[in-house]
Amino acid sequence: MSDQAEGRPVAASAIREHIYKVFPNDMNSNATVFGGMVMATIDRISLVVAERHSGRVCVTVSVDDIHFLAPARTGETLIFSASCNRAWGSSMEIGCRVKAEDSMSGEQRHIVSAYSTFVALDDDHKPVTVRPVRPETDIERRRYDEAALRRDARLKHAKALEKLRGGQG
Ligand SMILES: CC(C)(COP(=O)(O)OP(=O)(O)OC[C@H]1O[C@@H](n2cnc3c(N)ncnc32)[C@H](O)[C@@H]1OP(=O)(O)O)[C@@H](O)C(=O)NCCC(=O)NCCS
């Protein structure tokens, strides 16, 4: 808890409702929004949250499963929200949620969620310790607790892969 008390509030770095209007040049061959564009936007927005939180240049080290829950179509509006769920040594987990909106009717659908891990770098491009996160709302506290489970799983997975490859990368 003392760790959290010294931390930077989640709201200080969060991005709320970044708007992206979908046009025909964003489509895939199935006439739905190209997933790569959505992934790139998630990465850019999450990066800004990590850099705001840490005050450092950051790089993406890992992205957990991305699930496309529903398609989005031309004319719709994509709404991206991202926040720092938790920070450890040099790494931070950023959660990003994307909704698609029919702006005429106001109907919104949750279409994608992603959890990305970013590492803050010092001036020599080496990982550097970042300040902790201070969750202040029930949902921020839930995300903070869940982030620990995801970190355990992703580090175990990374370690198992490294072992399998015999440290060959
Ligand atoms: C990110 C990078 C600097 C980390 O270097 P490293 O030598 O692995 O450094 P460390 O072993 O000290 O790990 C740094 C942090 O990353 C975390 N980390 C390393 N591999 C990870 C993985 N696969 N998943 C999640 N976190 C990971 C570590 O747990 C550590 O976090 P902590 O300080 O909070 O405990 C290095 O891997 C790198 O440059 N990767 C390429 C990044 C890049 O170019 N991204 C752009 C997308 S292509």
Side-chain angles (χ1 to χ4, degrees):
M1 265 304 176
S2 61
D3 177 55
Q4 289 182 28
E6 291 163 15
R8 188 157 199 246
V10 173
S13 56
I15 291 178
R16 301 273 174 237
E17 310 233 317
H18 168 89
I19 297 298
Y20 183 93
K21 178 72 176 169
V22 176
F23 286 128
N25 62 318
D26 296 312
M27 296 296 112
N28 59 25
S29 313
N30 190 41
T32 58
V33 169
F34 174 50
M37 182 278 285
V38 176
M39 289 194 277
T41 309
I42 289 173
D43 196 40
R44 276 173 198 263
I45 288 177
S46 301
L47 169 67
V48 172
V49 173
E51 292 190 339
R52 279 183 178 173
H53 179 78
S54 63
R56 295 284 187 172
V57 167
C58 296
V59 288
T60 317
V61 68
S62 128
V63 180
D64 290 14
D65 299 349
I66 296 187
H67 296 278
F68 288 89
L69 306 170
R73 299 201 160 76
T74 189
E76 292 195 312
T77 306
L78 300 186
I79 306 172
F80 295 78
S81 295
S83 55
C84 186
N85 292 336
R86 192 158 179 165
W88 292 277
S90 60
S91 68
M92 297 149 277
E93 182 191 273
I94 313 297
C96 185
R97 190 180 159 88
V98 188
K99 292 182 292 186
E101 176 186 85
D102 175 334
S103 301
M104 270 62 76
S105 70
E107 184 222 328
Q108 293 188 347
R109 303 180 321 280
H110 174 205
I111 60 161
V112 185
S113 276
Y115 299 102
S116 314
T117 304
F118 289 84
V119 172
L121 302 178
D122 66 14
D123 295 344
D124 297 319
H125 312 284
K126 302 277 181 249
V128 62
T129 305
V130 300
R131 54 196 153 198
V133 167
R134 174 147 43 99
E136 295 179 308
T137 65
D138 285 349
I139 190 159
E140 288 170 7
R141 278 186 280 274
R142 175 174 64 72
R143 288 173 178 159
Y144 183 94
D145 290 340
E146 289 177 2
L149 297 181
R150 284 189 292 269
R151 172 177 161 92
D152 284 350
R154 68 174 79 94
L155 291 184
K156 251 184 223 153
H157 183 67
K159 207 173 261 180
L161 279 180
E162 199 183 328
K163 194 171 163 201
L164 197 67
R165 292 170 182 164
Q168 301 295 301

